[in-house]
Amino acid sequence: MTRDEDIRRAIEVLKQGGVILYPTDTVWGIGCDATNADAVRRIYEIKQRSDSKAMICLVDNANRIQRYVRNVPDVAWDIFELSTKPTTVILDGAVNLAPNLIAEDGSIALRVTNEEFSKQLCYRLQKALVSTSANISGHPAAQNYRDIVPEILNAVDYVCWTRRQEHLPHTPSSIIKLAADGTVSIIRK
């Protein structure tokens, strides 16, 4: 299967409200359309995770962040532009996303992906894409396809083919929280 065919099939599933497994700029992820509350609920169920724990969303470029956050602090643009490794930024004032994806404090965790496959998924979907690690809550993240347990593989609607043969070390993104007042907190290095 070609990469383009893989992307096309994944997008079809996402647009129908489905859940996919896909490679990201960090670990393998479980994803769905971030504006679809039913699909988001399914991911919480698949991961056996409380919906009080927020999930990360990917976008294909920094400009798209303005669609999902009321007021993006200036320092956020610098972080997105200058980060040398995948960095997720938690921002206040989330809008235009599934309500069950937004944290209780009204924030959302967003990352601009520079990995070509996940970037194309976001670009072709034209929406934010949920990106939570492909594991049962509390278990190690799936660095590579071979690390994904059957319980997860069997619960999703589509498993991407791209990068399945890869056996490289991958780590989750750094996470930074930016408060409306400009306070910066490092959540994960």
Side-chain angles (χ1 to χ4, degrees):
M1 175 181 302
T2 67
R3 189 179 68 115
D4 275 354
E5 178 66 13
D6 199 15
I7 290 169
R8 188 187 64 73
R9 288 184 181 184
I11 294 298
E12 284 176 12
V13 170
L14 291 167
K15 286 184 175 180
Q16 293 169 4
V19 174
I20 66 169
L21 271 175
Y22 67 106
T24 75
D25 52 341
T26 58
V27 296
W28 269 72
I30 303 174
C32 71
D33 171 351
T35 66
N36 184 320
D38 289 335
V40 170
R41 179 189 45 75
R42 276 194 59 215
I43 290 178
Y44 282 118
E45 290 170 359
I46 290 167
K47 286 185 64 76
Q48 301 172 24
R49 180 178 182 168
S50 164
D51 64 5
S52 65
K53 288 186 150 190
M55 293 188 285
I56 294 170
C57 294
L58 296 182
V59 292
D60 61 318
N61 69 70
N63 293 331
R64 203 170 304 275
I65 289 167
Q66 293 173 313
R67 184 183 293 178
Y68 303 112
V69 176
R70 274 193 195 94
N71 296 304
V72 181
D74 289 340
V75 69
W77 301 116
D78 294 335
I79 292 169
F80 289 123
E81 182 181 332
L82 301 173
S83 293
T84 57
K85 67 179 253 182
T87 303
T88 299
V89 180
I90 301 171
L91 297 164
D92 292 331
V95 294
N96 302 321
L97 292 163
N100 54 345
L101 188 58
I102 299 171
E104 289 179 11
D105 66 359
S107 66
I108 188 67
L110 293 166
R111 182 168 77 247
V112 177
T113 181
N114 289 314
E115 185 272 332
E116 197 53 40
F117 188 80
S118 55
K119 187 179 191 96
Q120 279 298 310
L121 283 176
C122 294
Y123 175 75
R124 293 189 195 181
L125 183 62
Q126 289 292 298
K127 295 181 181 179
L129 180 63
V130 170
S131 181
T132 185
S133 57
N135 62 311
I136 302 296
S137 189
H139 291 89
Q143 292 184 37
N144 295 285
Y145 173 77
R146 70 179 179 183
D147 302 323
I148 303 169
V149 298
E151 191 172 1
I152 298 283
L153 289 167
N154 296 328
V156 301
D157 301 305
Y158 182 73
V159 180
C160 293
W161 288 90
T162 301
R163 291 179 45 202
R164 280 194 189 186
Q165 301 305 315
E166 187 174 271
H167 301 290
L168 298 170
H170 295 282
T171 56
S173 67
S174 297
I175 301 177
I176 298 171
K177 180 163 178 49
L178 294 181
D181 67 2
T183 303
V184 177
S185 304
I186 306 297
I187 307 296
R188 182 171 66 201
K189 285 189 176 186

